[in-house]
Amino acid sequence: MAQGVLVITEQIEGAFRKVTYEALSEGKQTAAALKCGTAAVVLGHGITDIAEQLGTYGPDTVWVADDPALKEYTVDAYANVVSDLVRREDPAVILIGATTQGRELAARLSARLEAPLAMDCVALRVDEGNVTATRPMYGGKVLADLALKGNPCIIAVRPNAMAIRKSEGAGTVEKIDVNVGDAAIRFVEKQLEAEKTDLTEADIIVSGGRGMGGSDFSILEALAEVLGAAVGASRSAVDEGWRPHSDQVGQTGKVVSPNLYIACGISGAIQHLAGMSSSKVIVAINKDEDAPIFAKADYGIVGDLFEVVPAITEAVKKLKAQI
Ligand SMILES: Cc1cc2nc3c(=O)[nH]c(=O)nc-3n(C[C@H](O)[C@H](O)[C@H](O)COP(=O)(O)OP(=O)(O)OC[C@H]3O[C@@H](n4cnc5c(N)ncnc54)[C@H](O)[C@@H]3O)c2cc1C
């Protein structure tokens, strides 16, 4: 695939993360514009069977690095294996999800391969054979177009920002020889938060801030349940110990781009907006009509969240009962 597009996939316990399909769909389109092929690489152990699931998204080749040493992600081992593959296959563009794992791996590969890296991109286009990546900057206040000059160039795509498109052409699945090399990092233990949708992949997020007044988020959880949403929080709510840090949205929390973001009792500080302003539709519920969040919201409700949120939950329940 010399000078093609390589997508580094991410799977957890044998299930691909949604951003993998987003990156692959974008990779396929980019490859079409560059008139080259698309490949994907899957790393892990016991994952050869799942590699075929990628076929519907159109890669020409799926490289499988299946080895006990890759069962759990460590940046050393994964970077060693991917950089060997990159040196051999010589892709022009590498796409990876800007997840916690993807950000770390992308940065390591960028240093190792002396390749330019654009982090947290929300769009890609090809201009006269050159890839331009768009990413939010200054806490989401501007969108910057970055022209990447280098070979390969690495682009980490923000989860939920790009469309998933199925594509023709089931590719071949090929195993690669794995040499994890020297690894300074050793995997010790992993603790998964059971049954919780990752905020970065949620279609809908209901977030609570200091206006919740305490750790009882049950009215938000009830709304989230009827909407099939995940629950997020502002830093104030996290600092108060009302929610775990993994729920925090913002500059020092998670960057999210759901289809719908409902901010309840959140004032709209710049550091919070940095994490959610690329949401497709923003609804704000706040009792202060001058709260800055209303400047960013598509729909605003001035009112007491303890009255408004249960009313919305009931209305959604009624609507769902009619379907
Ligand atoms: C370096 C740095 C990094 C940061 N990173 C983050 C980050 O990642 N994420 C983040 O969120 N913040 C972050 N912050 C903090 C940020 O500046 C704000 O302090 C924080 O976002 C405020 O949280 P809040 O909106 O929940 O609280 P507040 O600003 O106190 O707002 C509470 C809102 O609730 C409303 N309210 C109160 N009661 C009700 C009610 N009954 N019904 C309806 N509305 C009600 C009030 O009108 C008010 O607007 C960071 C700050 C710094 C300096």
Side-chain angles (χ1 to χ4, degrees):
M1 63 163 296
Q3 295 306 292
V5 174
L6 174 68
V7 177
I8 302 172
T9 67
E10 184 175 336
Q11 52 85 24
I12 298 178
E13 309 285 316
F16 287 110
R17 298 196 62 167
K18 192 169 152 227
V19 69
T20 282
Y21 301 122
E22 293 161 3
L24 202 43
S25 305
E26 201 65 22
K28 187 79 185 166
Q29 270 207 337
T30 306
L34 290 170
K35 299 188 175 53
C36 64
T38 321
V41 57
V42 185
L43 301 102
H45 182 47
I47 38 84
T48 305
D49 289 349
I50 64 163
E52 302 205 345
Q53 293 169 17
L54 300 176
T56 35
Y57 301 91
D60 303 299
T61 312
V62 180
W63 303 107
V64 178
D66 193 335
D67 191 276
L70 299 174
K71 179 161 174 28
E72 302 295 348
Y73 165 80
T74 61
V75 68
D76 281 5
Y78 274 46
N80 287 344
V81 172
V82 175
S83 33
D84 280 352
L85 179 69
V86 170
R87 289 192 185 107
R88 197 187 76 199
E89 294 299 319
D90 189 25
V93 180
I94 298 174
L95 295 184
I96 186 167
T99 58
T100 307
Q101 175 178 316
R103 285 166 186 263
E104 183 184 44
L105 184 55
R108 183 68 69 95
L109 289 171
S110 170
R112 176 84 54 88
L113 300 165
E114 297 186 352
L117 164 64
M119 194 62 92
D120 206 22
C121 298
V122 294
L124 290 187
R125 63 170 198 273
V126 175
D127 295 323
E128 295 172 3
N130 295 315
V131 178
T132 300
T134 303
R135 59 164 300 214
M137 285 172 64
Y138 307 122
K141 276 188 179 289
V142 297
L143 287 173
D145 279 349
L146 307 176
L148 294 154
K149 301 232 178 302
N151 204 343
C153 56
I154 305 175
I155 296 164
V157 303
R158 179 180 285 191
N160 261 355
M162 294 170 182
I164 296 177
R165 295 176 215 92
K166 295 207 170 172
S167 191
E168 293 287 309
T172 55
V173 175
E174 295 186 32
K175 276 199 166 195
I176 52 177
D177 291 336
V178 172
N179 176 14
V180 294
D182 289 337
I185 297 173
R186 188 171 54 86
F187 172 80
V188 179
E189 188 194 10
K190 175 165 72 178
Q191 290 184 1
L192 285 180
E193 286 186 71
E195 311 266 330
K196 220 170 151 179
T197 311
D198 189 299
L199 279 183
T200 60
E201 296 193 343
D203 270 339
I204 305 177
I205 296 174
V206 181
S207 268
R210 196 190 296 281
M212 292 303 296
S215 61
D216 183 1
F217 269 47
S218 54
I219 57 166
L220 299 197
E221 277 154 6
L223 176 58
E225 195 179 329
V226 295
L227 292 174
V231 176
S234 72
R235 177 162 162 180
S236 298
V238 172
D239 285 352
E240 292 287 349
W242 301 341
R243 302 297 291 183
H245 183 261
S246 55
D247 284 1
Q248 185 178 317
V249 173
Q251 186 181 314
T252 43
K254 289 188 172 144
V255 176
V256 298
S257 300
N259 285 322
L260 174 60
Y261 188 88
I262 307 178
C264 308
I266 294 177
S267 59
I270 183 74
Q271 296 89 353
H272 188 79
L273 300 180
M276 44 63 80
S277 58
S278 60
S279 305
K280 277 83 177 178
V281 176
I282 297 170
V283 176
I285 303 166
N286 198 304
K287 66 181 185 185
D288 174 8
E289 64 179 25
D290 294 324
I293 190 81
F294 287 127
K296 200 75 200 167
D298 299 284
Y299 300 94
I301 302 172
V302 179
D304 186 338
L305 70 90
F306 294 100
E307 292 166 15
V308 176
V309 172
I312 297 175
T313 307
E314 281 316 305
V316 175
K317 276 186 189 163
K318 272 190 196 142
L319 278 172
K320 284 176 86 174
Q322 290 164 15
I323 297 171

